[in-house]
Amino acid sequence: MNSRLLDLQQRVLSKNDQLAQSLRDRFQSAQILALNLVSSPGSGKTAFLEKTLAQMSQNWGVAALVGDLATDNDAKRLARSGAPVRQIVTEGMCHLEAEMIDLHLQGWNLAKLQFLFIENVGNLVCPSSYDLGEALRVVLLSVTEGEDKPLKYPPMFSSADVAIITKIDLAEAVEFDRNAAHTNLRAVAPNIRIFESSARTGAGVTEWIEFLVQQRDSMFFQN
Ligand SMILES: Nc1nc2c(ncn2[C@@H]2O[C@H](COP(=O)(O)OP(=O)(O)OP(=O)(O)O)[C@@H](O)[C@H]2O)c(=O)[nH]1
Ligand SMILES: [Mg+2]
Ligand SMILES: [Zn+2]
């Protein structure tokens, strides 16, 4: 890449970082735990969020923003939970930026929310470079996509706080190597917290929600 292009890219990223920091401040003062869910296309972000929102919306103020290049299919799926949901159509852009989050939060009363889920565009590369003001970055890895993905796409995994191995109901059928997956995750992200789940059976969802509640408690109410 030539130096002018590099300089331009750095300016775009630093503008994004500033806006992300102001979002983070807003989430902090509203006591919202914001999460950025990233993965390759089809790893099960929406399916996992559908389960999460359906369970959480009975007890918590939850909302979701979801990014895709086109369609509002995912927003429609997530809205069935009854939670407020907005689709971000990126019109060709392959990741979400802080500015899009800022824009799509307009009109929402943040005081009513305790958890905000942001489903990023399905892409294992550039979403890792864009801070959205989240407190936790969550990377999903489905059992069908290969245990080597953390080694092949290190920035996405090393920048994440939590990894969720999805579609574990299919593990046997695809001869998923659990040990290899955990080892590869730890190789690029030694401190990552790993969950395993199935949106089909609901396995792992309750444990995940308990973790979120406890994370929010420790963020805002620790004495
Ligand atoms: N068997 C099984 N299938 C799943 C599970 N989770 C998702 N799927 C299926 O995997 C496909 C993709 O799931 P989505 O939830 O749309 O994946 P996504 O990551 O949101 O996809 P994009 O938004 O396009 O990146 C769908 O056909 C789902 O039904 C699971 O836990 N078990
Ligand atoms: Mg989706
Ligand atoms: Zn991109």
Side-chain angles (χ1 to χ4, degrees):
M1 208 184 286
N2 72 39
S3 64
R4 275 210 349 256
L5 218 66
L6 204 66
D7 184 46
L8 185 68
Q9 196 183 27
Q10 270 156 5
R11 270 187 286 153
V12 169
L13 283 176
S14 92
K15 186 182 154 231
N16 187 79
D17 283 347
Q18 283 168 24
L19 196 50
Q21 191 50 51
S22 84
L23 285 170
R24 185 169 285 112
D25 293 343
R26 280 169 69 194
F27 298 146
Q28 176 87 27
S29 60
Q31 299 184 335
I32 293 173
L33 181 75
L35 302 105
N36 178 6
L37 280 82
V38 294
S39 82
S40 55
S43 300
K45 297 179 293 299
T46 307
F48 183 65
L49 275 182
E50 283 183 271
K51 285 276 177 206
T52 303
L53 292 178
Q55 257 196 57
M56 288 188 86
S57 58
Q58 296 151 25
N59 303 314
W60 300 97
V62 291
L65 298 175
V66 51
D68 285 291
L69 272 70
T71 83
D72 63 353
N73 293 354
D74 281 3
K76 283 187 185 139
R77 284 168 60 189
L78 295 173
R80 284 191 235 133
S81 64
V85 176
R86 277 187 186 154
Q87 181 76 47
I88 303 175
V89 177
T90 64
E91 289 172 353
M93 204 183 279
C94 50
H95 58 265
L96 292 179
E97 296 186 2
E99 194 172 15
M100 303 174 191
I101 305 304
D102 189 39
L103 195 70
H104 286 80
L105 284 176
Q106 278 176 23
W108 271 359
N109 182 359
L110 294 187
K112 287 192 174 160
L113 297 182
Q114 284 99 47
F115 297 90
L116 174 67
F117 297 90
I118 303 168
E119 179 184 333
N120 218 308
V121 178
N123 176 352
L124 265 188
V125 187
C126 54
S128 68
S129 303
Y130 292 86
D131 184 3
L132 303 180
E134 72 269 21
L136 290 178
R137 187 171 294 178
V138 182
V139 64
L140 283 71
L141 171 68
S142 64
V143 298
T144 56
E145 64 198 272
E147 301 84 357
D148 61 348
K149 289 303 163 291
L151 303 179
K152 286 178 157 181
Y153 300 88
M156 191 61 96
F157 291 89
S158 61
S159 70
D161 306 289
V162 179
I164 299 172
I165 299 173
T166 58
K167 311 191 190 182
I168 54 163
D169 56 295
L170 301 176
E172 234 171 278
V174 297
E175 297 181 25
F176 174 67
D177 185 340
R178 182 174 183 274
N179 278 340
H182 282 243
T183 303
N184 293 342
L185 279 166
R186 297 245 185 261
V188 295
N191 299 318
I192 203 160
R193 174 80 187 244
I194 304 174
F195 289 88
E196 297 185 359
S197 95
S198 165
R200 201 49 54 88
T201 66
V205 176
T206 300
E207 189 194 349
W208 154 249
I209 292 172
E210 281 166 7
F211 166 75
L212 293 182
V213 171
Q214 173 229 310
Q215 284 291 303
R216 183 172 173 271
D217 279 351
S218 67
M219 242 178 107
F220 299 118
F221 309 112
Q222 201 150 52
N223 40 30

PDB file of all heavy atoms in Angstrom, residues 138-172:
ATOM      1  N   VAL A 138     -17.336 -10.213  20.727  1.00  0.00           N
ATOM      2  CA  VAL A 138     -17.665 -11.630  20.797  1.00  0.00           C
ATOM      3  C   VAL A 138     -17.503 -12.232  19.402  1.00  0.00           C
ATOM      4  O   VAL A 138     -18.178 -11.800  18.467  1.00  0.00           O
ATOM      5  CB  VAL A 138     -19.129 -11.817  21.271  1.00  0.00           C
ATOM      6  CG1 VAL A 138     -19.479 -13.292  21.388  1.00  0.00           C
ATOM      7  CG2 VAL A 138     -19.364 -11.087  22.590  1.00  0.00           C
ATOM      8  N   VAL A 139     -16.622 -13.199  19.274  1.00  0.00           N
ATOM      9  CA  VAL A 139     -16.436 -13.832  17.973  1.00  0.00           C
ATOM     10  C   VAL A 139     -17.095 -15.209  17.991  1.00  0.00           C
ATOM     11  O   VAL A 139     -16.968 -15.955  18.955  1.00  0.00           O
ATOM     12  CB  VAL A 139     -14.934 -13.912  17.588  1.00  0.00           C
ATOM     13  CG1 VAL A 139     -14.121 -14.785  18.534  1.00  0.00           C
ATOM     14  CG2 VAL A 139     -14.762 -14.400  16.153  1.00  0.00           C
ATOM     15  N   LEU A 140     -17.848 -15.505  16.938  1.00  0.00           N
ATOM     16  CA  LEU A 140     -18.499 -16.813  16.827  1.00  0.00           C
ATOM     17  C   LEU A 140     -17.730 -17.671  15.833  1.00  0.00           C
ATOM     18  O   LEU A 140     -17.276 -17.165  14.794  1.00  0.00           O
ATOM     19  CB  LEU A 140     -19.952 -16.675  16.368  1.00  0.00           C
ATOM     20  CG  LEU A 140     -20.964 -16.229  17.431  1.00  0.00           C
ATOM     21  CD1 LEU A 140     -20.761 -14.779  17.795  1.00  0.00           C
ATOM     22  CD2 LEU A 140     -22.385 -16.450  16.956  1.00  0.00           C
ATOM     23  N   LEU A 141     -17.602 -18.943  16.173  1.00  0.00           N
ATOM     24  CA  LEU A 141     -16.916 -19.897  15.300  1.00  0.00           C
ATOM     25  C   LEU A 141     -17.793 -21.140  15.276  1.00  0.00           C
ATOM     26  O   LEU A 141     -17.989 -21.783  16.309  1.00  0.00           O
ATOM     27  CB  LEU A 141     -15.546 -20.217  15.912  1.00  0.00           C
ATOM     28  CG  LEU A 141     -14.750 -21.353  15.283  1.00  0.00           C
ATOM     29  CD1 LEU A 141     -14.291 -20.994  13.879  1.00  0.00           C
ATOM     30  CD2 LEU A 141     -13.530 -21.695  16.145  1.00  0.00           C
ATOM     31  N   SER A 142     -18.347 -21.464  14.102  1.00  0.00           N
ATOM     32  CA  SER A 142     -19.235 -22.634  14.075  1.00  0.00           C
ATOM     33  C   SER A 142     -18.423 -23.902  13.835  1.00  0.00           C
ATOM     34  O   SER A 142     -17.342 -23.854  13.237  1.00  0.00           O
ATOM     35  CB  SER A 142     -20.298 -22.468  12.977  1.00  0.00           C
ATOM     36  OG  SER A 142     -19.697 -22.440  11.708  1.00  0.00           O
ATOM     37  N   VAL A 143     -18.956 -25.008  14.297  1.00  0.00           N
ATOM     38  CA  VAL A 143     -18.222 -26.283  14.182  1.00  0.00           C
ATOM     39  C   VAL A 143     -18.039 -26.699  12.721  1.00  0.00           C
ATOM     40  O   VAL A 143     -17.179 -27.519  12.413  1.00  0.00           O
ATOM     41  CB  VAL A 143     -18.917 -27.428  14.961  1.00  0.00           C
ATOM     42  CG1 VAL A 143     -18.975 -27.126  16.445  1.00  0.00           C
ATOM     43  CG2 VAL A 143     -20.301 -27.729  14.396  1.00  0.00           C
ATOM     44  N   THR A 144     -18.838 -26.118  11.825  1.00  0.00           N
ATOM     45  CA  THR A 144     -18.771 -26.525  10.415  1.00  0.00           C
ATOM     46  C   THR A 144     -17.704 -25.781   9.620  1.00  0.00           C
ATOM     47  O   THR A 144     -17.468 -26.095   8.465  1.00  0.00           O
ATOM     48  CB  THR A 144     -20.127 -26.285   9.721  1.00  0.00           C
ATOM     49  OG1 THR A 144     -20.460 -24.905   9.883  1.00  0.00           O
ATOM     50  CG2 THR A 144     -21.225 -27.129  10.318  1.00  0.00           C
ATOM     51  N   GLU A 145     -17.065 -24.762  10.200  1.00  0.00           N
ATOM     52  CA  GLU A 145     -16.168 -23.955   9.358  1.00  0.00           C
ATOM     53  C   GLU A 145     -14.688 -24.287   9.520  1.00  0.00           C
ATOM     54  O   GLU A 145     -13.856 -23.700   8.818  1.00  0.00           O
ATOM     55  CB  GLU A 145     -16.435 -22.455   9.521  1.00  0.00           C
ATOM     56  CG  GLU A 145     -16.172 -21.882  10.878  1.00  0.00           C
ATOM     57  CD  GLU A 145     -16.861 -20.528  11.053  1.00  0.00           C
ATOM     58  OE1 GLU A 145     -16.251 -19.520  10.693  1.00  0.00           O
ATOM     59  OE2 GLU A 145     -18.006 -20.496  11.541  1.00  0.00           O
ATOM     60  N   GLY A 146     -14.365 -25.218  10.427  1.00  0.00           N
ATOM     61  CA  GLY A 146     -12.963 -25.637  10.541  1.00  0.00           C
ATOM     62  C   GLY A 146     -12.284 -25.064  11.761  1.00  0.00           C
ATOM     63  O   GLY A 146     -12.393 -23.867  12.024  1.00  0.00           O
ATOM     64  N   GLU A 147     -11.562 -25.936  12.478  1.00  0.00           N
ATOM     65  CA  GLU A 147     -10.921 -25.545  13.740  1.00  0.00           C
ATOM     66  C   GLU A 147      -9.744 -24.608  13.528  1.00  0.00           C
ATOM     67  O   GLU A 147      -9.227 -24.025  14.494  1.00  0.00           O
ATOM     68  CB  GLU A 147     -10.410 -26.797  14.479  1.00  0.00           C
ATOM     69  CG  GLU A 147     -11.471 -27.831  14.837  1.00  0.00           C
ATOM     70  CD  GLU A 147     -11.780 -28.794  13.682  1.00  0.00           C
ATOM     71  OE1 GLU A 147     -11.209 -28.622  12.575  1.00  0.00           O
ATOM     72  OE2 GLU A 147     -12.592 -29.707  13.887  1.00  0.00           O
ATOM     73  N   ASP A 148      -9.289 -24.473  12.274  1.00  0.00           N
ATOM     74  CA  ASP A 148      -8.089 -23.669  12.020  1.00  0.00           C
ATOM     75  C   ASP A 148      -8.360 -22.179  11.829  1.00  0.00           C
ATOM     76  O   ASP A 148      -7.426 -21.394  11.660  1.00  0.00           O
ATOM     77  CB  ASP A 148      -7.350 -24.206  10.778  1.00  0.00           C
ATOM     78  CG  ASP A 148      -8.213 -24.143   9.514  1.00  0.00           C
ATOM     79  OD1 ASP A 148      -9.435 -23.898   9.619  1.00  0.00           O
ATOM     80  OD2 ASP A 148      -7.657 -24.336   8.422  1.00  0.00           O
ATOM     81  N   LYS A 149      -9.628 -21.775  11.851  1.00  0.00           N
ATOM     82  CA  LYS A 149      -9.937 -20.372  11.546  1.00  0.00           C
ATOM     83  C   LYS A 149      -9.202 -19.360  12.436  1.00  0.00           C
ATOM     84  O   LYS A 149      -8.725 -18.352  11.933  1.00  0.00           O
ATOM     85  CB  LYS A 149     -11.455 -20.117  11.578  1.00  0.00           C
ATOM     86  CG  LYS A 149     -12.202 -20.750  10.425  1.00  0.00           C
ATOM     87  CD  LYS A 149     -11.682 -20.283   9.072  1.00  0.00           C
ATOM     88  CE  LYS A 149     -12.130 -21.198   7.943  1.00  0.00           C
ATOM     89  NZ  LYS A 149     -11.517 -22.545   7.947  1.00  0.00           N
ATOM     90  N   PRO A 150      -9.067 -19.613  13.749  1.00  0.00           N
ATOM     91  CA  PRO A 150      -8.330 -18.627  14.563  1.00  0.00           C
ATOM     92  C   PRO A 150      -6.898 -18.428  14.070  1.00  0.00           C
ATOM     93  O   PRO A 150      -6.380 -17.309  14.125  1.00  0.00           O
ATOM     94  CB  PRO A 150      -8.350 -19.242  15.970  1.00  0.00           C
ATOM     95  CG  PRO A 150      -9.566 -20.119  15.975  1.00  0.00           C
ATOM     96  CD  PRO A 150      -9.653 -20.682  14.583  1.00  0.00           C
ATOM     97  N   LEU A 151      -6.277 -19.493  13.559  1.00  0.00           N
ATOM     98  CA  LEU A 151      -4.890 -19.382  13.083  1.00  0.00           C
ATOM     99  C   LEU A 151      -4.810 -18.641  11.750  1.00  0.00           C
ATOM    100  O   LEU A 151      -3.841 -17.961  11.462  1.00  0.00           O
ATOM    101  CB  LEU A 151      -4.272 -20.779  12.920  1.00  0.00           C
ATOM    102  CG  LEU A 151      -4.284 -21.661  14.172  1.00  0.00           C
ATOM    103  CD1 LEU A 151      -3.657 -23.020  13.867  1.00  0.00           C
ATOM    104  CD2 LEU A 151      -3.552 -20.972  15.319  1.00  0.00           C
ATOM    105  N   LYS A 152      -5.879 -18.765  10.943  1.00  0.00           N
ATOM    106  CA  LYS A 152      -5.862 -18.136   9.622  1.00  0.00           C
ATOM    107  C   LYS A 152      -6.301 -16.680   9.645  1.00  0.00           C
ATOM    108  O   LYS A 152      -5.956 -15.909   8.750  1.00  0.00           O
ATOM    109  CB  LYS A 152      -6.805 -18.891   8.688  1.00  0.00           C
ATOM    110  CG  LYS A 152      -6.281 -20.228   8.217  1.00  0.00           C
ATOM    111  CD  LYS A 152      -7.349 -20.860   7.355  1.00  0.00           C
ATOM    112  CE  LYS A 152      -6.784 -21.876   6.408  1.00  0.00           C
ATOM    113  NZ  LYS A 152      -7.880 -22.427   5.575  1.00  0.00           N
ATOM    114  N   TYR A 153      -7.118 -16.318  10.633  1.00  0.00           N
ATOM    115  CA  TYR A 153      -7.654 -14.949  10.734  1.00  0.00           C
ATOM    116  C   TYR A 153      -7.366 -14.387  12.131  1.00  0.00           C
ATOM    117  O   TYR A 153      -8.305 -14.046  12.867  1.00  0.00           O
ATOM    118  CB  TYR A 153      -9.166 -14.945  10.476  1.00  0.00           C
ATOM    119  CG  TYR A 153      -9.562 -15.469   9.113  1.00  0.00           C
ATOM    120  CD1 TYR A 153      -9.780 -16.830   8.903  1.00  0.00           C
ATOM    121  CD2 TYR A 153      -9.698 -14.604   8.024  1.00  0.00           C
ATOM    122  CE1 TYR A 153     -10.124 -17.331   7.650  1.00  0.00           C
ATOM    123  CE2 TYR A 153     -10.049 -15.089   6.767  1.00  0.00           C
ATOM    124  CZ  TYR A 153     -10.266 -16.443   6.587  1.00  0.00           C
ATOM    125  OH  TYR A 153     -10.608 -16.921   5.342  1.00  0.00           O
ATOM    126  N   PRO A 154      -6.085 -14.287  12.485  1.00  0.00           N
ATOM    127  CA  PRO A 154      -5.757 -13.965  13.889  1.00  0.00           C
ATOM    128  C   PRO A 154      -6.341 -12.655  14.436  1.00  0.00           C
ATOM    129  O   PRO A 154      -6.804 -12.661  15.585  1.00  0.00           O
ATOM    130  CB  PRO A 154      -4.225 -13.937  13.917  1.00  0.00           C
ATOM    131  CG  PRO A 154      -3.756 -14.426  12.608  1.00  0.00           C
ATOM    132  CD  PRO A 154      -4.900 -14.561  11.674  1.00  0.00           C
ATOM    133  N   PRO A 155      -6.365 -11.540  13.661  1.00  0.00           N
ATOM    134  CA  PRO A 155      -6.822 -10.294  14.304  1.00  0.00           C
ATOM    135  C   PRO A 155      -8.248 -10.381  14.844  1.00  0.00           C
ATOM    136  O   PRO A 155      -8.557  -9.831  15.900  1.00  0.00           O
ATOM    137  CB  PRO A 155      -6.729  -9.246  13.186  1.00  0.00           C
ATOM    138  CG  PRO A 155      -5.722  -9.797  12.234  1.00  0.00           C
ATOM    139  CD  PRO A 155      -5.906 -11.291  12.281  1.00  0.00           C
ATOM    140  N   MET A 156      -9.115 -11.090  14.110  1.00  0.00           N
ATOM    141  CA  MET A 156     -10.500 -11.175  14.567  1.00  0.00           C
ATOM    142  C   MET A 156     -10.597 -11.899  15.906  1.00  0.00           C
ATOM    143  O   MET A 156     -11.383 -11.522  16.778  1.00  0.00           O
ATOM    144  CB  MET A 156     -11.339 -11.905  13.518  1.00  0.00           C
ATOM    145  CG  MET A 156     -12.802 -11.810  13.779  1.00  0.00           C
ATOM    146  SD  MET A 156     -13.303 -10.093  13.750  1.00  0.00           S
ATOM    147  CE  MET A 156     -13.861  -9.963  12.076  1.00  0.00           C
ATOM    148  N   PHE A 157      -9.774 -12.923  16.076  1.00  0.00           N
ATOM    149  CA  PHE A 157      -9.852 -13.713  17.304  1.00  0.00           C
ATOM    150  C   PHE A 157      -9.047 -13.069  18.425  1.00  0.00           C
ATOM    151  O   PHE A 157      -9.475 -13.065  19.581  1.00  0.00           O
ATOM    152  CB  PHE A 157      -9.410 -15.155  17.019  1.00  0.00           C
ATOM    153  CG  PHE A 157     -10.399 -15.886  16.146  1.00  0.00           C
ATOM    154  CD1 PHE A 157     -10.296 -15.855  14.756  1.00  0.00           C
ATOM    155  CD2 PHE A 157     -11.484 -16.546  16.712  1.00  0.00           C
ATOM    156  CE1 PHE A 157     -11.231 -16.480  13.943  1.00  0.00           C
ATOM    157  CE2 PHE A 157     -12.429 -17.184  15.917  1.00  0.00           C
ATOM    158  CZ  PHE A 157     -12.302 -17.151  14.530  1.00  0.00           C
ATOM    159  N   SER A 158      -7.903 -12.482  18.084  1.00  0.00           N
ATOM    160  CA  SER A 158      -7.080 -11.896  19.151  1.00  0.00           C
ATOM    161  C   SER A 158      -7.698 -10.600  19.685  1.00  0.00           C
ATOM    162  O   SER A 158      -7.421 -10.201  20.815  1.00  0.00           O
ATOM    163  CB  SER A 158      -5.651 -11.639  18.667  1.00  0.00           C
ATOM    164  OG  SER A 158      -5.659 -10.743  17.598  1.00  0.00           O
ATOM    165  N   SER A 159      -8.561  -9.953  18.883  1.00  0.00           N
ATOM    166  CA  SER A 159      -9.193  -8.719  19.367  1.00  0.00           C
ATOM    167  C   SER A 159     -10.501  -8.996  20.123  1.00  0.00           C
ATOM    168  O   SER A 159     -11.126  -8.079  20.640  1.00  0.00           O
ATOM    169  CB  SER A 159      -9.468  -7.757  18.203  1.00  0.00           C
ATOM    170  OG  SER A 159     -10.504  -8.256  17.374  1.00  0.00           O
ATOM    171  N   ALA A 160     -10.902 -10.264  20.185  1.00  0.00           N
ATOM    172  CA  ALA A 160     -12.170 -10.594  20.849  1.00  0.00           C
ATOM    173  C   ALA A 160     -11.952 -10.948  22.323  1.00  0.00           C
ATOM    174  O   ALA A 160     -10.892 -11.443  22.704  1.00  0.00           O
ATOM    175  CB  ALA A 160     -12.839 -11.763  20.132  1.00  0.00           C
ATOM    176  N   ASP A 161     -12.962 -10.654  23.126  1.00  0.00           N
ATOM    177  CA  ASP A 161     -12.918 -10.999  24.555  1.00  0.00           C
ATOM    178  C   ASP A 161     -13.527 -12.370  24.809  1.00  0.00           C
ATOM    179  O   ASP A 161     -13.196 -13.045  25.776  1.00  0.00           O
ATOM    180  CB  ASP A 161     -13.722  -9.965  25.363  1.00  0.00           C
ATOM    181  CG  ASP A 161     -13.246  -8.556  25.083  1.00  0.00           C
ATOM    182  OD1 ASP A 161     -12.142  -8.220  25.525  1.00  0.00           O
ATOM    183  OD2 ASP A 161     -13.968  -7.801  24.383  1.00  0.00           O
ATOM    184  N   VAL A 162     -14.481 -12.726  23.955  1.00  0.00           N
ATOM    185  CA  VAL A 162     -15.245 -13.955  24.157  1.00  0.00           C
ATOM    186  C   VAL A 162     -15.349 -14.683  22.819  1.00  0.00           C
ATOM    187  O   VAL A 162     -15.508 -14.042  21.776  1.00  0.00           O
ATOM    188  CB  VAL A 162     -16.683 -13.634  24.658  1.00  0.00           C
ATOM    189  CG1 VAL A 162     -17.495 -14.905  24.854  1.00  0.00           C
ATOM    190  CG2 VAL A 162     -16.651 -12.807  25.922  1.00  0.00           C
ATOM    191  N   ALA A 163     -15.254 -16.007  22.854  1.00  0.00           N
ATOM    192  CA  ALA A 163     -15.497 -16.812  21.650  1.00  0.00           C
ATOM    193  C   ALA A 163     -16.665 -17.749  21.936  1.00  0.00           C
ATOM    194  O   ALA A 163     -16.741 -18.344  23.015  1.00  0.00           O
ATOM    195  CB  ALA A 163     -14.267 -17.634  21.286  1.00  0.00           C
ATOM    196  N   ILE A 164     -17.553 -17.863  20.965  1.00  0.00           N
ATOM    197  CA  ILE A 164     -18.653 -18.818  21.108  1.00  0.00           C
ATOM    198  C   ILE A 164     -18.555 -19.830  19.975  1.00  0.00           C
ATOM    199  O   ILE A 164     -18.591 -19.458  18.799  1.00  0.00           O
ATOM    200  CB  ILE A 164     -20.014 -18.103  21.081  1.00  0.00           C
ATOM    201  CG1 ILE A 164     -20.075 -17.120  22.240  1.00  0.00           C
ATOM    202  CG2 ILE A 164     -21.156 -19.116  21.189  1.00  0.00           C
ATOM    203  CD1 ILE A 164     -21.262 -16.233  22.227  1.00  0.00           C
ATOM    204  N   ILE A 165     -18.390 -21.073  20.350  1.00  0.00           N
ATOM    205  CA  ILE A 165     -18.382 -22.139  19.355  1.00  0.00           C
ATOM    206  C   ILE A 165     -19.840 -22.521  19.139  1.00  0.00           C
ATOM    207  O   ILE A 165     -20.524 -22.965  20.073  1.00  0.00           O
ATOM    208  CB  ILE A 165     -17.526 -23.326  19.818  1.00  0.00           C
ATOM    209  CG1 ILE A 165     -16.069 -22.870  20.024  1.00  0.00           C
ATOM    210  CG2 ILE A 165     -17.610 -24.474  18.808  1.00  0.00           C
ATOM    211  CD1 ILE A 165     -15.157 -23.905  20.638  1.00  0.00           C
ATOM    212  N   THR A 166     -20.329 -22.294  17.922  1.00  0.00           N
ATOM    213  CA  THR A 166     -21.762 -22.459  17.646  1.00  0.00           C
ATOM    214  C   THR A 166     -22.044 -23.758  16.881  1.00  0.00           C
ATOM    215  O   THR A 166     -21.145 -24.391  16.353  1.00  0.00           O
ATOM    216  CB  THR A 166     -22.297 -21.272  16.817  1.00  0.00           C
ATOM    217  OG1 THR A 166     -21.553 -21.200  15.598  1.00  0.00           O
ATOM    218  CG2 THR A 166     -22.166 -19.967  17.574  1.00  0.00           C
ATOM    219  N   LYS A 167     -23.333 -24.076  16.834  1.00  0.00           N
ATOM    220  CA  LYS A 167     -23.844 -25.264  16.116  1.00  0.00           C
ATOM    221  C   LYS A 167     -23.272 -26.562  16.672  1.00  0.00           C
ATOM    222  O   LYS A 167     -22.988 -27.502  15.913  1.00  0.00           O
ATOM    223  CB  LYS A 167     -23.554 -25.170  14.597  1.00  0.00           C
ATOM    224  CG  LYS A 167     -23.955 -23.825  13.965  1.00  0.00           C
ATOM    225  CD  LYS A 167     -23.915 -23.862  12.461  1.00  0.00           C
ATOM    226  CE  LYS A 167     -24.085 -22.467  11.871  1.00  0.00           C
ATOM    227  NZ  LYS A 167     -24.100 -22.442  10.397  1.00  0.00           N
ATOM    228  N   ILE A 168     -23.097 -26.628  17.996  1.00  0.00           N
ATOM    229  CA  ILE A 168     -22.494 -27.847  18.556  1.00  0.00           C
ATOM    230  C   ILE A 168     -23.396 -29.075  18.386  1.00  0.00           C
ATOM    231  O   ILE A 168     -22.928 -30.198  18.515  1.00  0.00           O
ATOM    232  CB  ILE A 168     -22.064 -27.695  20.045  1.00  0.00           C
ATOM    233  CG1 ILE A 168     -23.214 -27.223  20.904  1.00  0.00           C
ATOM    234  CG2 ILE A 168     -20.854 -26.798  20.197  1.00  0.00           C
ATOM    235  CD1 ILE A 168     -22.962 -27.465  22.369  1.00  0.00           C
ATOM    236  N   ASP A 169     -24.665 -28.846  18.040  1.00  0.00           N
ATOM    237  CA  ASP A 169     -25.532 -30.000  17.719  1.00  0.00           C
ATOM    238  C   ASP A 169     -25.018 -30.741  16.486  1.00  0.00           C
ATOM    239  O   ASP A 169     -25.362 -31.898  16.263  1.00  0.00           O
ATOM    240  CB  ASP A 169     -26.981 -29.523  17.505  1.00  0.00           C
ATOM    241  CG  ASP A 169     -27.105 -28.455  16.433  1.00  0.00           C
ATOM    242  OD1 ASP A 169     -26.560 -27.337  16.628  1.00  0.00           O
ATOM    243  OD2 ASP A 169     -27.720 -28.699  15.402  1.00  0.00           O
ATOM    244  N   LEU A 170     -24.183 -30.070  15.671  1.00  0.00           N
ATOM    245  CA  LEU A 170     -23.648 -30.694  14.452  1.00  0.00           C
ATOM    246  C   LEU A 170     -22.235 -31.240  14.638  1.00  0.00           C
ATOM    247  O   LEU A 170     -21.628 -31.747  13.689  1.00  0.00           O
ATOM    248  CB  LEU A 170     -23.628 -29.667  13.298  1.00  0.00           C
ATOM    249  CG  LEU A 170     -24.967 -29.044  12.902  1.00  0.00           C
ATOM    250  CD1 LEU A 170     -24.762 -27.993  11.817  1.00  0.00           C
ATOM    251  CD2 LEU A 170     -25.933 -30.121  12.413  1.00  0.00           C
ATOM    252  N   ALA A 171     -21.696 -31.127  15.851  1.00  0.00           N
ATOM    253  CA  ALA A 171     -20.278 -31.444  16.086  1.00  0.00           C
ATOM    254  C   ALA A 171     -19.900 -32.851  15.622  1.00  0.00           C
ATOM    255  O   ALA A 171     -18.894 -33.045  14.940  1.00  0.00           O
ATOM    256  CB  ALA A 171     -19.938 -31.257  17.557  1.00  0.00           C
ATOM    257  N   GLU A 172     -20.738 -33.808  15.993  1.00  0.00           N
ATOM    258  CA  GLU A 172     -20.396 -35.195  15.652  1.00  0.00           C
ATOM    259  C   GLU A 172     -20.427 -35.424  14.143  1.00  0.00           C
ATOM    260  O   GLU A 172     -19.521 -36.039  13.583  1.00  0.00           O
ATOM    261  CB  GLU A 172     -21.372 -36.143  16.334  1.00  0.00           C
ATOM    262  CG  GLU A 172     -20.674 -37.200  17.165  1.00  0.00           C
ATOM    263  CD  GLU A 172     -21.671 -37.975  17.993  1.00  0.00           C
ATOM    264  OE1 GLU A 172     -22.058 -37.476  19.078  1.00  0.00           O
ATOM    265  OE2 GLU A 172     -22.068 -39.060  17.533  1.00  0.00           O
TER     266      GLU A 172
END
